[in-house]
Amino acid sequence: MISPRPALGVVMVLASGILFAVNGTVSKLVLRTGIDAPQLTLLRAAGAFTVLLALSVLVRPGVRRLRVTARQVPLLVGYGLTGFFLVPMLYFVAISRLPVGIGLLFEYSAPLLVALWARFGQRHPVRPRLWSGLALSLVGLACVAEVWGGFSLDGLGVLAGLGAAFFLAIYYVLGARGVEGRDTVSLCTWAFGAAAVAGLLTRAVTGVGDWTPLAGTSRGVPVVLLLGYVVVLGSVVPYLLVAGAMRHLPATSVGIVGMVEPVIASAVAWVTLGATEALNAAQLGGGLLVLVGVALAETARVAPGGPPPAAETDQPGPPDMVAVVTTGPAGPGPGNRA
C-alpha cells in the first residue's frame, strides 16, 4: 500500500500538464508540414500502442494484464474510438485552424457536459455552483470567440473544438461506467490499439494523405523527431504521470491542477509560433472565466451518499466527491487528447 504524498501528486500533474501543453505546439508544427489531422491521429495512436504494448509485456504481471473478455470488448472499442481517436483528431483539426490555447479552451468545456449529463441524464444531485460554472464558461467562450465583433474565429475550427469536447465527455462517461477493473497500462494499450485500427480504416476508406512530409523538417526540426515527442512525451509519459498522481491526490484535485495546461500551451505556442498564437485581452479574460467555470463544475457533483446539494458551504467536499469523471482509469482530464 502506497502512502499518499500530495506534494508528489501535484508535481506529477504539473509535469504531465507541461508535457501535454508543449505537445499542442509540437502537433501544430507537424500539421504545418502537410500531415493532416487523421494522419497525425493514426501515427500517434500506432506509436503509443506499440510503446504501451511493449510495457505491458515487459512490466509485471506481463502479458496477462492484456486479457480481455467478450463483455469488455465493446466498451474498450468505444473508449478507444471516442477518447483516443475522435477527440485527438478533432483537436488536431481545431488547432490547425485556431490558436492552440483557444482550441484547448473549447475542448475544456467537456467537464460541463459531463456534469449536465450527471444532473439530467442520470439525475444525480449537484451543488448549485454548477450553474454558476456553466454561466461563467459560456460567457468566457463568448469572449474568446469575440461574438460582439461578428465571431472572429474560424467556424470549422470552433466546431472541431466543440466536437472534441463532446466526444471527450462521452469518453469520461464510458471510463466511469465500466473500465475500473483494468489497470491503466492495459486500458490505454487497448484504447490506443482501437484508435490505430480506426485510423487505418479511415486511411483505407478515404485514400487521402501525403506521407512525404515525414522525411522533411518543421522549424528546422525533423518531422520524425517531432512525432517521437507526440508519441512518447506527448502521450505515453503524461498518461502514466497522471495515473501515478491518482495514488496521491483526489480526482477533483488532479483535474483542477491540470488546468495549467491551456495556460502553458498558450504561452508555449506564442513563444514558438509567434504572433498568430497571441490572445488579446478579451480572449485572455474569457479563458480565465472558462477555467473558473470548469473548476466550479469539477466540484459540483455529489457522490452517492454524499451531503445534500443544497448544503453549499465553504468547506471542501468529501474525498469521494468527483465532479466530473476526470478519472476514468486512463487518468488525464482534457489534456489526454493530444
Side-chain angles (χ1 to χ4, degrees), residues 1-257:
M1 183 70 179
I2 297 176
S3 299
R5 298 169 60 187
L8 177 60
V10 170
V11 170
M12 295 173 79
V13 176
L14 289 175
S16 71
I18 292 170
L19 291 174
F20 276 134
V22 173
N23 193 52
T25 296
V26 174
S27 299
K28 191 156 188 171
L29 288 173
V30 174
L31 293 167
R32 285 185 172 183
T33 67
I35 297 290
D36 61 27
Q39 287 175 289
L40 181 53
T41 305
L42 168 58
L43 291 168
R44 172 186 182 255
F49 172 70
T50 302
V51 173
L52 287 168
L53 183 62
L55 284 175
S56 296
V57 173
L58 296 174
V59 178
R60 294 167 60 183
V63 72
R64 287 181 300 166
R65 64 158 44 91
L66 295 175
R67 292 173 180 168
V68 176
T69 65
R71 186 177 180 181
Q72 292 173 325
V73 170
L75 182 64
L76 288 172
V77 171
Y79 194 71
L81 290 180
T82 54
F84 294 74
F85 179 69
L86 291 170
V87 171
M89 185 169 66
L90 290 169
Y91 170 72
F92 291 146
V93 172
I95 65 172
S96 70
R97 309 178 75 93
L98 300 170
V100 171
I102 289 179
L104 268 177
L105 286 170
F106 279 107
E107 188 178 334
Y108 254 72
S109 60
L112 299 171
L113 299 178
V114 179
L116 290 173
W117 165 251
R119 171 63 181 86
F120 295 107
Q122 300 177 308
R123 300 190 180 279
H124 289 173
V126 294
R127 289 178 165 78
R129 58 176 171 267
L130 170 63
W131 312 115
S132 299
L134 178 62
L136 283 175
S137 293
L138 291 175
V139 171
L141 290 175
C143 292
V144 168
E146 297 182 302
V147 294
W148 56 83
F151 198 83
S152 62
L153 299 177
D154 180 273
L156 182 58
V158 171
L159 287 176
L162 293 175
F166 174 77
F167 286 110
L168 185 59
I170 295 176
Y171 157 82
Y172 288 151
V173 172
L174 288 176
R177 293 187 62 181
V179 292
E180 296 93 339
R182 303 199 67 90
D183 69 287
T184 301
V185 173
S186 70
L187 177 64
C188 289
T189 300
W190 286 122
F192 273 120
V197 171
L200 288 170
L201 292 175
T202 300
R203 166 73 175 165
V205 171
T206 61
V208 299
D210 179 12
W211 298 102
T212 57
L214 289 175
T217 63
S218 182
R219 292 278 178 121
V221 181
V223 174
V224 173
L225 186 59
L226 295 173
L227 286 171
Y229 183 99
V230 171
V231 170
V232 179
L233 296 179
S235 300
V236 175
V237 173
Y239 269 101
L240 297 179
L241 281 171
V242 175
M246 294 286 185
R247 299 175 182 271
H248 303 284
L249 292 173
T252 305
S253 299
V254 171
I256 292 175
V257 175

Side-chain angles (χ1 to χ4, degrees), residues 232-298:
V232 179
L233 296 179
S235 300
V236 175
V237 173
Y239 269 101
L240 297 179
L241 281 171
V242 175
M246 294 286 185
R247 299 175 182 271
H248 303 284
L249 292 173
T252 305
S253 299
V254 171
I256 292 175
V257 175
M259 288 179 188
V260 299
E261 182 188 346
V263 178
I264 298 173
S266 296
V268 171
W270 175 65
V271 171
T272 305
L273 303 176
T276 57
E277 296 292 318
L279 307 185
N280 60 35
Q283 291 172 325
L284 288 171
L288 179 61
L289 290 178
V290 171
L291 295 181
V292 171
V294 169
L296 291 174
E298 288 272 16

